[in-house]
Amino acid sequence: MLAYTIRRIIILVPVLWAVATITFILMHAVPGGPLTPEKDRPPALQEALERRYGLDQPLWRQYTTYLTNLLQGDLGITFKGDREVTDVIRDKFFVTAQVGILGFVLAISVGMTLGTLSALNHNGPLDYIGVFFATAAASVPNFILGAFLTIILAVNLGWLDIVGWGGPNTWSELFDPAAYDWRKMLLPVIAISVLPASFFARVTRASVLEVLNQDYIRTARAKGLAERKVVWGHTIKNALIPVLTLTGPIFAVMISGSFIVETMFFIPGLGAESIKAIVARDYGMIMGTTLFFAFVVAIANLAVDLLYAVADPRIRYS
Amino acid sequence: MSTRSKWFLLPMAALTAGLIFAAACGGDDDDEGGDTTPGATSEATSGSGGGQAPADQQKIRIAQPEPQFLDPQKSNFEQDIGLERFLFRGLYNLTDDGEGGVEVVAMMADGEPVVTTEGETAVYTVKIRADAEWSDGVPVTAANFVYGLTRACDPDIASPYQYLLGAGLGDLVGCDALAQNTDPAQADALKAALGAKAIDDKTLELTLAKEIPTFKTIFALWTTFPARQDVIEEHADAWTLPENIVTNGPFTLSEFAVGDHLTLVPNASFVGTAPVLQEIYVQFVDDLSAAFRAFQNDEELQMTEVLATDVAVAESSGLSDNVLVVPSARITTIEAQMTDPVLSNFGVRLAISQVIDRQALVDSVFDGVHAPAYYWVVEGLVGHQGNEAFEGVIGYAPDKAAQTLADAGFPDGEGIPTLRWTARDNEQKRNEFAFVQAALAEIGIEIEAEFVDAATRSTMFNAEDFQLFPGGWQLDYPDIENPLVGLFNTDGGNNKYNCSDPDVDAAFEAAFTATSEEARIAAYQEVEKNIVEKLCGIIPLYQDARPFVVSTSIGGVVANGTIDAGLPGNYAPENWFVKAD
Amino acid sequence: MATTLPADYLAVGDVAETKYRGLWSDAWRRLIRNRLSVIGAVVLTGILLLAFVGAFVGPTARYTAQEIDTSADQRQTGPSAEHWFGTDQLGRDIFARVLEGIRVSIEIGLGTATLVLLIGVVVGSAAAFGGKMSDNLVMRFTDVMFSFPDILLILLIREILINREIPILSNDRVLIIFAISLTAWTTIARLVRGQMLSLSERDYVLAARALGASSTSVVYKHMLPNTLGPVIVAVTFAIPAAIFAEAALSFIGLGIPPPAVSLGELVKTGYVVIQRNAWAVVFPAAAISILMLCFTFIGDGLRDALDPRTR
């Protein structure tokens, strides 16, 4: 398993290199650059700016410089405010991760509860409600749900706030209850969790149904085991494994969700920042965020695969 | 001293009362704003009423976009420059004269400069106030200004507003040469040759290529602010972080949470009026509709700019006392490419002007916040002629437009190909296009939109690659010459629509050689009359205004549109206070 | 990473017993027995009729999406007998604009599905039949595409291609279809490859052959439906995914540029004036939701009917 893990990590290197190269090419194919002036700018000033950010070098040299620096963990600086890209990613991802983790927890608890209830109540009214929810939640875009919740809960009822993020902005505030403002946290977390929750609900339902039809469950029932024990002891545990495989793709879905949800609720996270970076042609940030997201998804998928092996003894990686 | 008579400089200096920060466009030369009458401050926010609350309640929260740099020499955008006036101050300061105009007063400088001239060259000697100190207790010295000005001209800093010190404006000797230098070996010699010297700790000597009427104004601007060499060399780009920064303005930075907010607290060492507020929490918000919702929703937020379309919401939801509409020194216009075979025809331009109902445009797209304009020199400037002068010539005349177009050789628009409309892509620009498209369709002119991002748009403009281009001009400084010179003379650098008219050029010549202020103004008025009546590259639409909401609990917010940057009255935040209950 | 999950993740997966029938007739029977799918199909047909026919003839065609009326009492109005969905800032009829938005959404959805199918089949078969080298190459490339944050990739492609004089792509709708497709084809490509590789070795194919079925019959009755089934299902789910992607991009102001009307843009426009005229957001939002719901129901039904793995 260790060898497998190491091999997976080694494979990651060429993938990230390819992501970096493709992003670099696409980014430079976009017309205009981070220094394209909005007003006419004296040529000397323009040249000075380009020199300062190394944009006066030929493209291939910018590319090799970038890769060399990348190997040393240096992602360069942003054009917006001359900050280290690594610092910006660290600060912004701290917020994105909070939204993501809270949303994930909400999604998995709501989704699995609904899915299990649906399956145990197969073809009953609870099942129909569950399936309908799962389908509807997969169909109503998060920004539309967010818009409706905003009108009702924030604008009309005034219960919740909508601008900014209510969680801590720095690590040091993480354990400070005063740094949390749930009125600002609820709407984005709900908005980002709805789609993943619907996936969890569907897969849990299918998985529990399948387990319930397995021979060993029939055996357990036949030998007179209490239904509660059958359900909790045998069914749920075994049904969990397919759900686990879902968490990797869900990660990707949630990162996609973060772009829209963060933009809409003005959350200072990495998703909103990376969209701003593309619009502003902030080369350093475009490269940094794309690589970072690719890396996060790859690591998440690896972690899920390893967990999968731990959970299901039949699976062996070599 | 030049051959131009000296007495003429005095009134001109008074006129050139302050560069608007707005050239610093907030990223947007195309910003939306709101209303109409200059000086239309709402009663609720004029500073007089009510006493001050106790010191422990002197805290406010305001919203604005996140600044890019808090380094005055690096700043490009309004949201940076506005905040820098909280933190830093220059030799002089722009302030409200109490009558809606602008006054330049001494700030770090001790009184008026002493000017001596040698031929064309003018040497300004400025004393620094003996009691001026930075927030860490270190005295403000002449060397700080020399270092700041050197940074402003240094190509390694690449200050976006270096041109304020360059030829024709600040005229600081050696600044352009330093800024355009590409040879590192030459850098030290060029820095040494810069026309800024510290004679002693408190005596600054500035050498300008010629005497200028705008000296005090220029040296009140952010680009000329002093800088601390020891702090900047120690911390490099990190010098503006709260733990490193030292300031000489009314406030200092206590906290900066990237992407979220910053906090300002008073600078006890500030030599000017001590600020009343004990804390200003600046929430970063990019989207004005979200900011407005937060204002409605969040009792903590007390000031923000809002969208024109939200003014009606504010007024209908009991917030009319909070609305503050500040006129903006900007005309929005359609720029028409005069080299285009169709648009070079005056009749076509006139027909376009006659068929666009400016009032309906402003009322529908901007809920009446901006004001229709058939002029080019903004209201509030000396020499402004207003709608009365030109509306009869180019004004909305739906019954005449079709005939005008027919007379021009294009009955019912036949023979006119579909014209390109190049605009920034945002909600209001989309609506503006839809409005104009519908209007022009009435006389048979078809237009198609090309919506682009800000950078592409300006690239296309500078390359003269456009037919119809909704744009405008925001004043850099309040003088009638600013919106005209360089924009309409045949060889003007900003004349991208290729307006070339002998009467205009003759009027410019008259203005350049005028020997009296009246003659100069009159000559520029003649320029305006010619460009407007001939629609020479421009078809004026409206004068912008910017709407804000300000809590009624805040006093001392005296908006002065010509020197505000992003927030109303933020040229003098030391005067803001929380009213007693 | 793709916004869509691979189709098998979406499996509700009822386990049902079925007698052998002809695969296609069997699938059809299952499809029309699925009540939600039928409802989805009926509602969708109604919407399509309204958007593609009703918008041009009859009482539903009284206004066009671009027609403005700036008189004060005609702007930002709620629903009325005259304007069924109310009007916007310029007095334009929101009903007409929603219909045009639906047309754009449908075009984006179907266009993307087609292009994704095309790329997916070509790349997938290339991988399956092109030998070990090309299989490896293609699969590693799909790995890389999978690791891209899709919205960022779509935005980059959009920014590169917009306002350029490239044939075909200078059409903004084609451009958006192209950009979305470039991020969405990996799922189909992998599916096609997997199907192609395993098909000839499947037990039922071998069994059918052993039982003496003719070659044509094996391909027609067994291989084709079993390949096509999962692909059709995946492509069906690509439609709502594309509609969602375009709407989301338009919502943040980076979708299909005007004068095309996008439902996402209508929601955004309405969101700005939500306190004056909430109807301006309600109707386009409902339109997107209903459209996506219909396609999802139909996709669910098709999957249950066609995908042999769920039997």
Side-chain angles (χ1 to χ4, degrees), chain C residues 51-133:
Chain C
F52 285 90
V53 181
F56 303 101
V57 291
T60 46
R62 285 171 304 159
Y63 294 94
T64 68
Q66 316 294 347
E67 221 167 303
I68 70 173
D69 181 352
T70 53
S71 35
D73 57 347
Q74 288 302 314
R75 300 191 291 112
Q76 299 289 12
T77 59
S80 64
E82 191 59 26
H83 297 285
W84 296 343
F85 288 0
T87 57
D88 72 359
Q89 182 75 20
L90 292 179
R92 289 175 294 200
D93 183 54
I94 293 179
F95 179 74
R97 291 178 74 72
V98 166
L99 289 191
E100 178 163 343
I102 291 172
R103 284 198 298 277
V104 171
S105 283
I106 296 280
E107 284 168 28
I108 301 275
L110 294 182
T112 306
T114 314
L115 196 54
V116 159
L117 181 66
L118 215 66
I119 305 176
V121 167
V122 169
V123 176
S125 350
F129 300 127
K132 185 100 178 140
M133 260 292 271

Side-chain angles (χ1 to χ4, degrees), chain B residues 133-456:
Chain B
E133 282 181 4
W134 293 89
S135 53
D136 59 355
V138 172
V140 174
T141 65
N144 298 149
F145 283 94
V146 173
Y147 186 64
L149 291 169
T150 309
R151 294 183 89 230
C153 304
D154 188 343
D156 292 337
I157 300 293
S159 176
Y161 284 91
Q162 180 271 331
Y163 72 86
L164 291 175
L165 294 166
L169 260 174
D171 269 325
L172 186 66
V173 165
C175 186
D176 282 343
L178 174 56
Q180 286 155 21
N181 173 46
T182 51
D183 178 7
Q186 296 280 320
D188 285 341
L190 287 167
K191 282 180 189 171
L194 192 67
K197 299 273 179 295
I199 303 301
D200 59 49
D201 269 3
K202 293 288 184 185
T203 311
L204 177 66
E205 189 185 277
L206 299 168
T207 310
L208 273 55
K210 63 175 199 294
E211 192 167 4
I212 56 169
T214 50
F215 176 81
K216 283 164 66 183
T217 305
I218 300 255
F219 285 89
L221 300 176
W222 63 99
T223 312
T224 67
F225 284 173
R228 277 280 291 275
Q229 187 163 9
D230 53 335
V231 175
I232 294 176
E233 284 178 354
E234 184 183 346
H235 301 290
D237 283 343
W239 80 270
T240 54
L241 295 181
E243 58 269 32
N244 303 330
I245 197 168
V246 291
T247 67
N248 73 333
F251 291 90
T252 189
L253 183 67
S254 72
E255 187 192 10
F256 193 122
V258 173
D260 195 67
H261 71 274
L262 62 78
T263 312
L264 301 162
V265 294
N267 168 15
S269 306
F270 179 52
V271 289
T273 314
V276 185
L277 292 174
Q278 297 304 300
E279 184 189 292
I280 303 177
Y281 183 103
V282 183
Q283 174 83 49
F284 303 147
V285 176
D286 284 332
D287 183 286
L288 296 184
S289 64
F292 176 62
R293 242 164 261 164
F295 182 87
Q296 279 187 308
N297 209 24
D298 181 353
E299 288 173 6
E300 287 176 1
L301 183 63
Q302 283 139 324
M303 184 193 294
T304 180
E305 185 171 358
V306 295
L307 284 177
T309 42
D310 274 334
V311 169
V313 178
E315 283 171 350
S316 65
S317 60
L319 293 173
S320 43
D321 285 353
N322 301 75
V323 175
L324 174 62
V325 178
V326 181
S328 176
R330 181 181 199 278
I331 299 283
T332 296
T333 179
I334 302 173
E335 281 151 17
Q337 184 51 263
M338 304 284 285
T339 55
D340 182 86
V342 171
L343 291 170
S344 59
N345 185 325
F346 169 71
V348 175
R349 300 196 302 276
L350 184 61
I352 292 174
S353 185
Q354 285 174 335
V355 83
I356 298 175
D357 182 351
R358 317 297 206 274
Q359 190 66 52
L361 169 67
V362 165
D363 284 347
S364 60
V365 179
F366 302 100
D367 280 316
V369 167
H370 303 322
Y374 298 104
Y375 52 86
W376 184 250
V377 174
V378 294
E379 200 165 347
L381 275 190
V382 174
H384 165 73
Q385 300 181 80
N387 283 335
E388 307 71 38
F390 310 115
E391 191 166 355
V393 185
I394 64 161
Y396 175 54
D399 44 338
K400 290 187 200 157
Q403 189 56 47
T404 306
L405 194 61
D407 293 348
F410 303 99
D412 298 323
E414 273 167 42
I416 299 184
T418 302
L419 298 172
R420 207 152 48 100
W421 175 275
T422 308
R424 282 203 62 183
D425 192 0
N426 64 41
E427 197 58 40
Q428 277 141 343
K429 290 291 147 193
R430 290 182 183 199
N431 284 341
E432 197 174 277
F433 165 72
F435 184 94
V436 174
Q437 186 185 36
L440 296 189
E442 286 171 22
I443 51 171
I445 297 180
E446 298 287 327
I447 59 173
E448 66 178 5
E450 176 179 53
F451 288 97
V452 294
D453 62 284
T456 310

Side-chain angles (χ1 to χ4, degrees), chain A residues 36-40 44-45 48-49 51-52 79-83 92 154-155 160-163 169 266 268 276 281, chain B residues 23 27-28 66 68-69 74 155-159 180-181 259-260 286-287 290 294 297 453-454 458-459 462 496:
Chain A
T36 306
E38 291 190 23
K39 293 190 156 185
D40 230 357
L45 172 60
L49 275 171
R51 266 201 311 282
R52 194 166 110 206
F79 289 82
K80 187 189 167 211
D82 281 358
R83 284 195 281 264
K92 302 264 173 186
V155 176
L160 302 177
D161 280 356
I162 45 160
V163 177
N169 284 304
F266 308 99
K276 282 187 210 155
R281 318 279 194 259
Chain B
D28 186 352
E66 181 171 10
Q68 184 180 22
F69 295 108
K74 284 191 180 175
D156 292 337
I157 300 293
S159 176
Q180 286 155 21
N181 173 46
D260 195 67
D286 284 332
D287 183 286
N297 209 24
D453 62 284
S458 62
T459 307
N462 292 332
K496 307 292 186 189

Side-chain angles (χ1 to χ4, degrees), chain C residues 10-89:
Chain C
L10 297 163
V12 175
D14 284 9
V15 185
E17 304 293 322
T18 34
K19 292 194 294 189
Y20 175 79
R21 290 198 194 95
L23 266 165
W24 290 116
S25 63
D26 187 29
W28 176 248
R29 242 175 267 260
R30 287 165 150 269
L31 188 61
I32 57 169
R33 255 208 329 248
N34 187 323
R35 240 172 284 163
L36 285 179
S37 295
V38 173
I39 293 174
V42 170
V43 173
L44 186 63
T45 313
I47 291 176
L48 291 184
L49 278 176
L50 206 53
F52 285 90
V53 181
F56 303 101
V57 291
T60 46
R62 285 171 304 159
Y63 294 94
T64 68
Q66 316 294 347
E67 221 167 303
I68 70 173
D69 181 352
T70 53
S71 35
D73 57 347
Q74 288 302 314
R75 300 191 291 112
Q76 299 289 12
T77 59
S80 64
E82 191 59 26
H83 297 285
W84 296 343
F85 288 0
T87 57
D88 72 359
Q89 182 75 20

